[in-house]
Amino acid sequence: MLILFRHSLDTGSPLETPYKATVTPIHKGGDKASPQKYRPVCLTSHIVKVLERILRKHIVDHLEQSNLMNKNQHGFRSKHSTLSQLIAFYDQVINKLDKGSTIDAIYIDFAKAFDTVDHGILLHKIRHKAKIAGKIGVWIHNFLSKRVQQVVVNGELSEEVLVTSGVPQGTVLGPVLFLIMIADIDNDVESSHVSMYADDTRIMKQISKESDEENLKYDLSTIYDWCNENNMKFNGDKFELIVFTTKRNEFNEKDYKSPDGKKIEEKSNLKDLGIQLSGNLKFTEHIDTVISKAQKMTGWILRTFNTRDRLPMMTLYKQMVLGILEYCCPLWSPIDKGSIEKIEKVQQSFTRRIKGLYGENRPNYWERLKILKIYSLERRRERYIILYVFKALSEQVPNPGLSVKRNERLGPTIVYPKKRKESAVPDNIFNRNFMYQGSKLFNALPSEIREKIGTDKIETIKRLLDNFLQKVPDQPSCANLTKISETNSIVDQVKFIKR
């Protein structure tokens, strides 16, 4: 295989002639007669994918080390994720609102972004902007241009069709090539901030005077110009506007236009990478949605499986429910008692159904947590926040701005973000932000754990943290049970640690 790969790179000749992809349409919902309601899933050669993985590593290393990646792009990049994108975006919103302004954020939608990439423009960018030429440049040229695909439905194959545009989906290199294509989308944006997760793009600006809206409109038009110059298309009907503000009584109608001249609809809340964001900065709608989905899943588990034995029940719960309850939870983790209790009731109710843990003499929820050797959901969310703080401080994920100071007696601590006295952001919103919660939780840890910043792998931090948390009382709110502390947060419960 090494000889085959070496020959292909040296000569630029394709590993397949031509490269073939079999497309299977997957229905996304809605009208089954509409082609737009299907997602194309491509199957490509595994041998080619092996070489792609080798090339991808070297290409990505080159782009990262040469700072050729867009710094605001979080999709398909090592150490980046939907969570890193959302935390960075939301922290910027909080900081700008803290200065007394409102934030206008416009969500931009591409029309079939991956499928409409112009090969000529992409190859030009690969050579002149990504600085990839020579043998690898020739190989990528053939990889893009010498492709055919066919569709399979009910075992029947369509005729082969030459692929003349788009980055090849179902391949390893496809996402990286798309990042190169879209990397310069904000080059001409002057005063607004653009952030991206793959093709999910948003542009926002702090609005404190009328001219700010005009500046945002101008920056928006530069993105439309970029789209035209790069032969890509926007889906204007799916553009959305959200205004982040804590002053809802000051209504000011917005007049931002999509590329086709239609007014962009303003929404009080919208979905961003699976998280329901609200203009009032609260996550009430998202939390209610999460709870509803989790309850439906637990109901499905209990209806579908007759067994109530501990092992299968907990396996199903961890695999099918916890992911719903904890997706991007460091961003939206609540601090108000009502939301914490509503979320906790999902686990509280499910664990009552496990064999040996129900009946007249069933153990209470605190006892069930110990028997099952699991944390409360609140404790799990705080653990995730702490681990993400360690990753940020160790440069394993982008640092949203956490700053460490060192003290000979106390060891390393994080400097709390401070809210201005005249800030319009309420305390309950400012204090729920990841930066604030992460700082409090990190500083509540013993110094021997905090000292491990950047010196150990995250697995070591997890082990040390779990050993510490075993000593910290885990007492979520529960009927007829009285906590020893005001809340079940690690910050309060650590005062009653078992010595």
Side-chain angles (χ1 to χ4, degrees), residues 106 189 232 239 333 423:
I106 298 172
V189 172
M232 297 188 73
F239 277 35
S333 182
S423 173

Side-chain angles (χ1 to χ4, degrees), residues 87 90-91 93-94 97 244 275-284 287 328-336 339-340 381 385 417 419 425-441:
I87 285 178
Y90 198 75
D91 185 61
V93 171
I94 293 291
L97 286 176
F244 294 103
I275 301 296
Q276 200 78 16
L277 297 184
S278 299
N280 60 10
L281 301 173
K282 298 178 181 179
F283 286 100
T284 306
I287 290 172
C328 286
C329 62
L331 173 75
W332 55 265
S333 182
I335 57 175
D336 63 288
S339 296
I340 292 172
R381 291 193 299 273
I385 293 173
K419 190 177 80 166
V425 181
D427 288 343
N428 64 328
I429 292 176
F430 189 89
N431 295 346
R432 191 209 54 234
N433 189 26
F434 166 79
M435 297 286 285
Y436 190 87
Q437 281 207 70
S439 302
K440 284 184 63 176
L441 290 167

Side-chain angles (χ1 to χ4, degrees), residues 375 383-384 386-388 390-391 396 449 452 456-470:
Y375 295 123
R383 179 178 178 272
Y384 280 129
I386 292 171
L387 291 174
Y388 197 86
F390 271 100
K391 290 179 180 180
Q396 297 179 41
I449 298 181
K452 297 296 183 180
D456 286 282
K457 295 180 179 180
I458 195 65
E459 287 76 16
T460 303
I461 303 296
K462 288 180 181 179
R463 186 177 68 253
L464 292 172
L465 179 60
D466 286 332
N467 289 339
F468 167 69
L469 292 180
Q470 287 178 6

Side-chain angles (χ1 to χ4, degrees), residues 89 103-109 193 195 201-205 213 216-217 220 223-224 239-244 254-258 264-265 270:
F89 175 75
I103 308 297
D104 287 1
I106 298 172
Y107 284 71
I108 297 168
D109 186 74
H193 177 76
S195 59
T201 307
R202 56 202 65 71
I203 178 171
M204 74 170 180
K205 182 167 178 58
E213 291 190 21
L216 177 54
K217 290 177 183 177
L220 194 60
I223 293 181
Y224 297 164
F239 277 35
E240 296 175 307
L241 165 68
I242 186 169
V243 178
F244 294 103
K254 307 293 182 177
D255 189 32
Y256 300 110
K257 296 293 197 321
S258 64
I264 299 174
E265 181 182 358
L270 52 78

Side-chain angles (χ1 to χ4, degrees), residues 221-255:
S221 69
T222 64
I223 293 181
Y224 297 164
D225 292 340
W226 176 93
C227 187
N228 291 330
E229 292 168 2
N230 287 271
N231 288 344
M232 297 188 73
K233 295 182 180 180
F234 285 126
N235 186 351
D237 292 338
K238 291 188 176 180
F239 277 35
E240 296 175 307
L241 165 68
I242 186 169
V243 178
F244 294 103
T245 180
T246 56
K247 303 175 182 178
R248 273 297 163 191
N249 55 328
E250 299 181 8
F251 179 76
N252 179 25
E253 187 173 356
K254 307 293 182 177
D255 189 32

Side-chain angles (χ1 to χ4, degrees), residues 22-68:
T22 302
V23 180
T24 302
I26 304 297
H27 187 234
K28 296 187 294 185
D31 183 9
K32 290 188 176 182
S34 173
Q36 289 80 13
K37 298 300 181 180
Y38 290 84
R39 177 177 288 110
V41 177
C42 295
L43 300 178
T44 57
S45 168
H46 291 291
I47 295 177
V48 179
K49 283 182 178 179
V50 174
L51 178 54
E52 285 184 74
R53 289 190 179 93
I54 298 171
L55 289 176
R56 183 188 184 280
K57 181 183 184 304
H58 290 283
I59 291 172
V60 170
D61 288 347
H62 159 69
L63 294 174
E64 296 284 5
Q65 293 168 10
S66 302
N67 294 319
L68 297 173

Side-chain angles (χ1 to χ4, degrees), residues 56 60 63-65 67-82 84 175-176 179 196-198 396 398:
R56 183 188 184 280
V60 170
L63 294 174
E64 296 284 5
Q65 293 168 10
N67 294 319
L68 297 173
M69 284 283 200
N70 190 311
K71 64 180 180 179
N72 297 315
Q73 173 65 261
H74 289 252
F76 306 126
R77 294 180 64 187
S78 174
K79 301 181 181 179
H80 293 69
S81 63
T82 54
S84 69
V176 179
L179 295 190
M196 296 166 284
Y197 187 88
Q396 297 179 41

